[in-house]
Amino acid sequence: MANLTNLYDVSKCTACRGCMVACKDWNQLPAVIEPFKGNYDTHGGDTNGDTFTVVRFIEGEDPVDGVFWNFLKYQCMHCFYPACMKVCPQGAYSKTEWGATFHDPEKCIGCQYCTYACPFMIPKYRKREDKISKCTLCVDRVEEGLTPACARTCPTGALKFGDREELLAEAEERVKFLQANGFPRATIYGRVELGGLNKLYVLTDSPDKFGLPVDPKVPGQISFWQNWVQPYFGWLIPVALAGSAVSFVTTRILANKNGDHTEGGHE
Amino acid sequence: MTNHIVDLKNTDCALIMGSNAAENHPISMRWLLRAREQRNAKIIHVDPRYTRTSARADIYAPLRSGTDIAFLGGMIKYIIDNEKYHKDYVLAYTNASFLVKDEYGFEDGLFSGYDPEKRSYDVSSWDYQYDENGLPIKDPTLQHPRCVFQLLKQHYERYDIDTVCQITGTPKKKYLEVLEAFSATGAPDKTGTIMYAMGITQHTVGSQNVRAFAIVQLLLGNMGRPGGGVNALRGENNVQGATDMALLFHIIPGYIDSPTNGADNKDLLAYIRKATPGAAKLQFNSLEEFRQLVAAGFPNSGFKINTSKWMVSLLKAWWGDAANAENDFAYHYMPKRDANKNYSHIALFEAMHRGEIDGLFVNGTNPVVGGPNANKEQEALSKLKWMVSIDLWLNETADFWTYPAWQRPVENENVPKLAANDIQTEVFFLPAAAVYEKEGTASQTGRWVQYRWQGADPVGESKADLWIYNELGKRIKSLYAGSSKPEDEPITQLAWNYDDEHGHDDIMKVAAELCGFNVADGLPVEGFANLKDDGSTACGCWVYCGAMTYKDGKVIYKPQLRDNKDNSKEGLGLFSNWAWAWPVNRRIVYNRCSISPDGVTPWPGDEKRVLIRWDEAAGSWVGDDVCDTGKTSPPEKAMPFIMRPEGMGCIFATKTSMKDGPFPEHYEPWESPTANTMNKQNLNPATKVWEPDKQGTPDKYPIIATTYRVVEHWQTGALTRNLPWLAELMPDMMVEISEELAREKGIKNGRKVIVSTTRGDIEAVACVTKRFKPFNIHGKQIHEIGLLWHYGFKGFATGDPANRLTPHVGCANTMIPEYKAFLCDVRRA
Ligand code: SF4
Ligand code: SF4
Ligand code: SF4
């Protein structure tokens, strides 16, 4: 079956955040109202356990072009070769035949290894359930013949859903057009990154201008984990989660990626 | 909109000015971005602040709030000096060639006929020169010094690029980019659209700002053509419908002049004489005599010649059998406004504040958050005996008497602070159904009247507006039942029949009345050309006439049509069988201009955007849109602007069209950091000043403030601040401040600040941003800040209402408050 995906064209996104609300509505995610911190970027530009997608606002000034304000819808990239799935000891992750990376909360035990493995730091721990949550690519809608809630609601046409090959062709056209019309650095994101993402972006500038890793990489420890730890010590994990010393050890093996990942998760 | 939302896809260039379309009209961007994708259209955004619209624009040009006429005046000059105007169009479809009376003049910022005492103009000199037959004299060479074109050129001689940029603070390079890009649409094969909203209208020169657009678009030949037009993006989904139904005080449904208590309105004949352009000069003593004159081709009043038909049909709709030829069709039942009084929002609240008003119905509005000078308006509510609030929520206005309503961030002796037990107003709250919980039509910004079926049951005891008003009408009538007093007749005789056979309100009965019916058989009137002034037709709003039709034994209500196939052969997106557009399902008004004057030759290179053409064999206009001219008038007679007596687009606005001048002239906002350098008047000379003592001056209040909305909230926020998902996205009242001003004032991003004007103080979170920049005005650095006006003390997302800061002063023509430019000071909280 062909891959079905979203094409998100930043040159058409008005940062209305309708997609964020539609996502919360469809997935019945609660609002977490926090004080305004001086930036439209309410969620610090990152997803969280109750927010599967965010729109980033990146403000800057260019000596030639003047002020710019870049917007970016951010969510799980549904990687062709998902690191989250690779590390999950419980097999909670799976790929649908049309390309979504599906996380099954029934199988999830809240170990959070996927949060360290994901190059985009997408899976987030939901403390109250002791489980991970993330964008589902609206599996439950797509398999009923509907488009994902975010794409369905997008008023400008920035977000589309369809056959990846067709959307890729469209993205190429758009990038050509943009390059010829004031955006010489316009590019596609998601075609080759990490061997391909089941999410396509048309960017008006280089990925770093949108807070995306230019050359995303799966952390080196992942293959160590996959090739050594899991086959021999995988049975240890349920035990580890009971709070034994092994938990500390196994968590540390992976947790050197960045200090933000506090034990016990964050919401 | 003269055009409609989908039509934005047909443009070659869009000038978005006084509008944050991406945030406040998200769907407009869908079509505009398509124009860029498919036609390589350019998008220009002119705004004091870089917004989400600017982020999607090709050119962003900043301008200081309240200087739009300087900006557009410079554009008019540029278009003329560089001969960018569409010559054939200007000659054939505008009044450019008309000669103007010798008495008309302009000096020192004043047009001829000014009375400084009354702050108003005698407009009699703002008129054409007429020949012996009463027809305007023209000079097709456009060279005569008194012709409109030459007067226009002379008027804007002062608006050179440097002068303009000194006033607006726009960097010259950016200004030139805008001028070049937009005036390129004067080429016959190009069209450009102007999209505007409250950033244009909410000024003491609001109407003249729009006039300036009209002049630009007439010069460039952009009116009446796909991808063109002057397009007001209406701020609420049905505000167009509300205006059609006479939301404004000077009109009755269908934009008919509302009758006054003056001698010139004393009876129906006097009213018709006054309201029909040109009729004052005619001799007639009865409606029959008037009809004969009309049949003979008098007076020359354009389409408004039909005013008598609209008015009599309206009276028949309201008073049914009690309105007949013998009693002036019950004209004497109709309430008359005081000709010398103003009943606009500000005036109403001033009167309320003086204790002149006993009771108030508030529905669909929330003045404690949305009204100008909200501190004063809140105090005014406390002087009412009673107030009925009809809303989805107990909003700030419904709860104006509670403790939190009177909390202020700083004590200020000029701002009242009442306690609940000081307030005697009795408040009634009627919970209203939301839009998806009731049925009916909404007339959107492009004049499409669209039916909406009910999607959910109303919550709790809430009711649809129709239910509420139908019950009110019935109960008032029953209170008067049995009265034989003549002064009660307007109520006892009122035709009020909106119930179905079960005694429930029936929205189709309202629709039938609005669309008009033949009194004899009750069947729909097929289009307003069939309305009569002899009592045989009834019609509640003539512009909706034709929306209901009778075919094959069935009544069809066209707003319910849902054919989403584009009927336009060239893919212009007319969708004429989706819902119905007023008037007569015309999708683009003034569409006579979409083809050259001969009616058969397309504008060179623009074959695809022709909407109608003259079919000689058939002797009528044909095309994908409904023609906006006499259907059988041959091209040389087919006027493009039929609502105007001269039938032409008005570069020069004659007589009573405007209260403050035939040409737009730059005046500073009421509160401005600088003197006017364009002429000797600072403020629009025809604007009424309500509270002279409340005028802030730049020595104490050096910073310009403006107010606006964000996409996450809607209007006063009652609807959106009560939705957790939206509250989450814009949780607090915030004020956008430039990095330069923040540095000067020691303000940190995300920290609280106090903003003050002579009307009050508010607290808000600072959003320090690169997207606001100080302006260089006459060599001086002037700061501007921006405030969201969505917030109040109720709901999940709360904050001080920005309108506690805004002034009680408004546009000379419409009295819309000057929300968009006033003076303030800002400091750390
Ligand atoms: S983005 Fe992260 S969570 Fe999503 S599929 Fe890729 S690795 Fe897994
Ligand atoms: S695809 Fe579904 S789950 Fe993912 S961001 Fe869109 S709406 Fe949310
Ligand atoms: S709904 Fe569409 S336009 Fe709005 S923020 Fe999301 S992607 Fe952008």
Side-chain angles (χ1 to χ4, degrees):
Chain A
M1 190 179 175
N3 278 322
L4 299 176
T5 187
N6 278 342
L7 169 63
Y8 168 70
D9 180 347
V10 299
S11 75
K12 292 187 195 165
C13 174
T14 57
C16 73
R17 301 199 270 184
C19 47
M20 286 178 71
V21 174
C23 179
K24 287 219 167 187
D25 181 19
W26 178 253
N27 293 299
Q28 287 297 294
L29 302 170
V32 183
I33 303 174
E34 291 193 348
F36 183 76
K37 297 188 189 74
N39 191 321
Y40 285 44
D41 235 350
T42 33
H43 297 76
D46 197 8
T47 57
N48 63 44
D50 292 321
T51 310
F52 294 172
T53 182
V54 289
V55 176
R56 287 181 178 162
F57 293 76
I58 300 159
E59 186 179 301
E61 203 158 356
D62 183 286
V64 183
D65 300 336
V67 173
F68 64 84
W69 207 11
N70 287 341
F71 311 133
L72 185 94
K73 182 184 181 292
Y74 195 62
Q75 73 297 301
C76 172
M77 301 293 175
H78 299 275
C79 313
F80 282 0
Y81 307 101
C84 53
M85 186 162 117
K86 240 182 193 175
V87 300
C88 179
Q90 295 300 99
Y93 286 92
S94 56
K95 287 299 278 185
T96 66
E97 55 176 356
W98 50 275
T101 307
F102 180 66
H103 170 263
D104 182 355
E106 295 296 314
K107 293 190 183 151
C108 179
I109 53 170
C111 72
Q112 301 171 62
Y113 296 142
C114 52
T115 69
Y116 304 109
C118 170
F120 300 98
M121 307 207 295
I122 287 298
K124 293 283 154 51
Y125 181 67
R126 212 186 246 176
K127 200 172 183 178
R128 64 171 181 279
E129 286 168 358
D130 188 24
K131 286 193 195 304
I132 288 297
S133 68
K134 72 161 193 75
C135 159
T136 65
L137 202 52
C138 282
V139 168
D140 43 356
R141 289 176 62 91
V142 173
E143 300 200 337
E144 293 298 327
L146 301 171
T147 48
C150 52
R152 174 78 180 83
T153 217
C154 177
T156 61
L159 202 55
K160 288 184 180 166
F161 183 76
D163 181 290
R164 189 172 185 274
E165 288 309 308
E166 281 167 26
L167 292 175
L168 197 56
E170 188 178 329
E172 275 160 8
E173 282 302 306
R174 283 298 293 160
V175 164
K176 249 188 254 159
F177 175 89
L178 290 167
Q179 285 176 344
N181 287 284
F183 301 99
R185 295 179 297 274
T187 178
I188 298 180
Y189 193 81
R191 175 174 35 196
V192 292
E193 282 72 15
L194 292 166
L197 309 176
N198 202 32
K199 274 277 168 179
L200 292 171
Y201 284 75
V202 168
L203 303 178
T204 48
D205 207 333
S206 54
D208 56 309
K209 295 285 183 329
F210 297 87
L212 287 171
V214 179
D215 183 17
K217 284 204 172 51
V218 174
Q221 296 86 355
I222 295 302
S223 53
F224 164 69
W225 169 262
Q226 196 198 20
N227 298 335
W228 297 100
V229 184
Q230 206 170 10
Y232 301 109
F233 303 102
W235 57 271
L236 266 175
I237 285 166
V239 186
L241 281 167
S244 75
V246 191
S247 164
F248 182 72
V249 175
T250 50
T251 307
R252 285 305 114 187
I253 291 173
L254 295 155
N256 56 2
K257 213 171 85 189
N258 78 53
D260 290 348
H261 286 60
T262 48
E263 220 169 326
H266 60 100
E267 247 179 299
Chain B
M1 294 177 82
T2 58
N3 295 39
H4 57 97
I5 290 278
V6 178
D7 180 63
L8 293 170
K9 82 186 175 82
N10 297 318
T11 198
D12 295 303
C13 187
L15 173 60
I16 308 176
M17 191 162 166
S19 152
N20 184 358
E23 299 202 40
N24 298 323
H25 304 90
I27 210 71
S28 69
M29 291 307 275
R30 175 187 199 85
W31 302 103
L32 194 55
L33 290 167
R34 197 164 290 186
R36 177 155 72 193
E37 187 171 357
Q38 292 172 354
R39 314 178 56 89
N40 210 353
K42 289 276 162 287
I43 302 174
I44 305 170
H45 189 222
V46 180
D47 202 275
R49 172 186 59 129
Y50 188 101
T51 69
R52 284 178 249 194
T53 302
S54 325
R56 291 286 73 87
D58 297 283
I59 306 173
Y60 164 70
L63 100 165
R64 167 170 68 98
S65 283
T67 62
D68 308 83
I69 292 175
F71 194 98
L72 295 165
M75 184 177 284
I76 293 169
K77 179 172 163 56
Y78 180 90
I79 291 168
I80 296 175
D81 289 354
N82 297 286
E83 296 196 38
K84 297 283 188 185
Y85 52 96
H86 186 169
K87 292 190 192 66
D88 294 339
Y89 184 108
V90 167
L91 204 58
Y93 297 149
T94 77
N95 65 2
S97 62
F98 289 44
L99 304 195
V100 172
K101 277 188 174 171
D102 289 333
E103 297 78 47
Y104 162 77
F106 174 80
E107 214 185 326
D108 292 344
L110 295 172
F111 294 91
S112 46
Y114 188 60
D115 179 345
E117 291 290 298
K118 291 197 195 137
R119 289 187 68 79
S120 71
Y121 285 100
D122 167 1
V123 300
S124 54
S125 66
W126 308 352
D127 200 0
Y128 306 128
Q129 298 183 22
Y130 295 95
D131 65 12
E132 58 278 8
N133 297 321
L135 294 173
I137 305 174
K138 302 178 196 174
D139 170 29
T141 69
L142 303 183
Q143 295 307 314
H144 193 290
R146 295 305 294 176
C147 83
V148 165
F149 188 77
Q150 292 299 329
L151 291 175
L152 177 80
K153 188 170 172 185
Q154 190 191 333
H155 189 89
Y156 291 103
E157 204 48 55
R158 295 161 295 143
Y159 289 66
D160 60 90
I161 289 167
D162 288 311
T163 306
V164 167
C165 292
Q166 290 274 319
I167 292 174
T168 62
T170 311
K172 199 167 153 183
K173 183 173 156 279
K174 281 284 157 198
Y175 188 48
L176 277 166
E177 271 181 53
V178 175
L179 294 179
E180 210 174 299
F182 198 67
S183 62
T185 66
D189 62 341
K190 293 271 183 283
T191 61
T193 180
I194 291 182
M195 295 157 69
Y196 74 94
M198 298 298 158
I200 280 294
T201 53
Q202 290 174 343
H203 291 285
T204 40
V205 291
S207 305
Q208 292 287 8
N209 282 341
V210 182
R211 275 278 301 141
F213 283 157
I215 295 174
V216 166
Q217 291 297 63
L218 287 170
L219 286 174
L220 296 173
N222 284 335
M223 296 306 294
R225 301 174 63 191
V230 172
N231 293 307
L233 302 174
R234 312 294 318 246
E236 303 201 31
N237 71 74
N238 196 22
V239 70
Q240 184 64 58
T243 328
D244 302 341
M245 297 302 145
L247 173 78
L248 303 172
F249 74 88
H250 68 294
I251 49 170
I252 51 179
Y255 304 91
I256 313 174
D257 294 345
S258 77
T260 69
N261 64 355
D264 53 5
N265 273 236
K266 69 175 187 324
D267 55 26
L268 183 60
L269 226 48
Y271 171 83
I272 289 169
R273 199 183 296 280
K274 177 86 175 137
T276 314
K281 292 197 206 105
L282 302 177
Q283 277 301 319
F284 57 92
N285 292 308
S286 68
L287 257 175
E288 185 45 42
E289 285 179 32
F290 176 69
R291 272 178 222 132
Q292 281 165 8
L293 284 165
V294 172
F298 298 102
N300 175 25
S301 32
F303 200 69
K304 281 195 177 165
I305 189 74
N306 297 309
T307 305
S308 61
K309 297 171 185 165
W310 305 334
M311 185 64 172
V312 170
S313 297
L314 181 76
L315 292 166
K316 279 302 284 183
W318 288 4
W319 282 287
D321 293 343
N324 51 57
E326 286 69 52
N327 72 350
D328 240 6
F329 293 104
Y331 174 79
H332 57 298
Y333 288 170
M334 185 173 272
K336 314 286 184 298
R337 71 183 157 98
D338 185 334
N340 298 315
K341 249 188 174 166
N342 188 293
Y343 299 84
S344 65
H345 181 97
I346 293 176
L348 219 56
F349 275 87
E350 287 285 339
M352 199 185 296
H353 199 266
R354 291 192 300 269
E356 291 171 15
I357 295 177
D358 284 350
L360 177 73
F361 269 71
V362 195
N363 33 186
T365 179
N366 185 8
V368 168
V369 173
N373 200 351
N375 277 327
K376 185 174 193 176
E377 299 202 346
Q378 190 178 332
E379 195 189 2
L381 295 175
S382 74
K383 308 203 172 174
L384 292 167
K385 293 204 174 80
W386 54 266
M387 182 181 91
V388 181
S389 167
I390 306 174
D391 209 278
L392 272 61
W393 280 276
L394 274 169
N395 60 19
E396 287 79 1
T397 301
D399 268 359
F400 82 94
W401 51 274
T402 59
Y403 171 78
W406 298 91
Q407 295 312 298
R408 298 294 179 271
V410 285
E411 295 285 334
N412 182 334
E413 64 205 24
N414 298 321
V415 177
K417 190 165 184 177
L418 304 183
N421 50 7
D422 298 333
I423 298 169
Q424 301 307 319
T425 314
E426 189 174 0
V427 178
F428 302 87
F429 183 74
L430 305 181
V435 47
Y436 308 108
E437 298 167 347
K438 60 188 178 191
E439 264 186 280
T441 61
S443 304
Q444 46 86 295
T445 182
R447 297 165 290 102
W448 295 13
V449 185
Q450 305 184 93
Y451 201 83
R452 291 190 199 150
W453 287 266
Q454 186 180 346
D457 287 331
V459 174
E461 286 183 292
S462 51
K463 298 283 186 204
D465 302 306
L466 178 58
W467 184 93
I468 294 172
Y469 281 97
N470 187 35
E471 286 303 311
L472 196 63
K474 287 195 293 191
R475 291 184 205 188
I476 290 174
K477 267 182 82 80
S478 76
L479 289 173
Y480 281 81
S483 165
S484 53
K485 291 189 204 152
E487 64 265 37
D488 291 346
E489 283 177 17
I491 293 171
T492 55
Q493 299 298 325
L494 189 65
W496 193 278
N497 309 306
Y498 307 114
D499 282 354
D500 63 14
E501 59 271 28
H502 309 294
H504 299 146
D505 50 282
D506 180 352
I507 200 141
M508 290 313 277
K509 292 205 165 169
V510 182
E513 178 183 311
L514 289 175
C515 299
F517 56 89
N518 294 301
V519 173
D521 56 11
L523 290 176
V525 176
E526 304 285 341
F528 52 60
N530 296 312
L531 291 174
K532 298 271 165 23
D533 56 12
D534 58 5
S536 62
T537 59
C539 183
C541 184
W542 71 271
V543 297
Y544 283 61
C545 192
M548 197 174 265
T549 182
Y550 185 71
K551 216 172 152 191
D552 307 329
K554 266 204 327 236
V555 170
I556 298 165
Y557 188 38
K558 293 182 178 172
Q560 296 180 332
L561 297 181
R562 283 295 179 274
D563 180 352
N564 62 3
K565 202 171 124 278
D566 181 13
N567 59 306
S568 142
K569 292 172 206 67
E570 299 293 349
L572 294 173
L574 294 173
F575 296 102
S576 301
N577 300 312
W578 175 280
W580 181 88
W582 75 258
V584 293
N585 204 25
R586 185 173 294 136
R587 300 285 155 145
I588 295 181
V589 295
Y590 316 126
N591 57 27
R592 164 74 178 90
C593 305
S594 72
I595 192 156
S596 75
D598 69 12
V600 288
T601 323
W603 289 115
D606 207 35
E607 294 75 15
K608 287 199 156 67
R609 281 188 292 211
V610 172
L611 291 164
I612 58 163
R613 63 174 77 236
W614 176 252
D615 183 337
E616 188 64 49
S620 86
W621 291 90
V622 295
D624 292 336
D625 200 7
V626 177
C627 78
D628 193 358
T629 191
K631 187 153 175 59
T632 53
S633 314
E636 62 284 5
K637 292 230 174 78
M639 291 294 159
F641 293 84
I642 55 172
M643 293 305 286
R644 293 288 312 167
E646 69 284 80
M648 294 290 163
C650 288
I651 288 174
F652 181 92
T654 57
K655 295 186 275 192
T656 50
S657 331
M658 305 298 287
K659 288 200 168 76
D660 46 357
F663 290 131
E665 173 65 9
H666 170 70
Y667 303 106
E668 288 292 327
W670 186 52
E671 291 186 343
S672 164
T674 171
N676 190 359
T677 50
M678 195 59 96
N679 61 58
K680 293 191 177 146
Q681 309 296 322
N682 274 344
L683 177 66
N684 182 349
T687 286
K688 181 173 166 66
V689 175
W690 293 87
E691 301 179 297
D693 58 315
K694 284 283 190 314
Q695 187 176 26
T697 48
D699 52 334
K700 284 199 196 126
Y701 300 100
I703 300 164
I704 306 169
T706 191
T707 61
Y708 43 74
R709 309 188 292 174
V710 285
V711 63
E712 291 83 359
H713 288 303
W714 193 64
Q715 308 290 65
T716 68
L719 207 56
T720 51
R721 287 185 289 108
N722 279 297
L723 283 178
W725 291 325
L726 292 174
E728 180 184 15
L729 295 179
M730 270 293 165
D732 290 299
M733 172 61 191
M734 61 105 157
V735 47
E736 290 184 279
I737 293 176
S738 72
E739 292 178 340
E740 291 80 357
L741 180 62
R743 218 173 294 133
E744 227 172 78
K745 300 272 181 185
I747 293 167
K748 293 250 163 6
N749 190 31
R751 298 289 175 77
K752 294 223 165 121
V753 295
I754 305 274
V755 186
S756 305
T757 70
T758 66
R759 277 82 54 186
D761 321 84
I762 62 158
E763 195 177 67
V765 183
C767 174
V768 178
T769 173
K770 297 183 197 306
R771 296 174 294 97
F772 244 127
K773 290 268 185 277
F775 292 100
N776 181 347
I777 307 298
H778 305 303
K780 222 176 119 201
Q781 172 165 289
I782 305 272
H783 292 291
E784 177 162 345
I785 63 167
L787 302 142
L788 306 189
W789 65 270
H790 296 296
Y791 291 86
F793 55 91
K794 307 275 298 188
F796 294 111
T798 57
D800 284 346
N803 280 314
R804 288 182 183 158
L805 306 174
T806 53
H808 257 195
V809 69
C811 167
N813 289 280
T814 62
M815 283 295 296
I816 193 170
E818 190 158 59
Y819 289 116
K820 295 297 184 234
F822 53 96
L823 291 180
C824 73
D825 198 12
V826 51
R827 63 177 195 272
R828 277 181 304 196

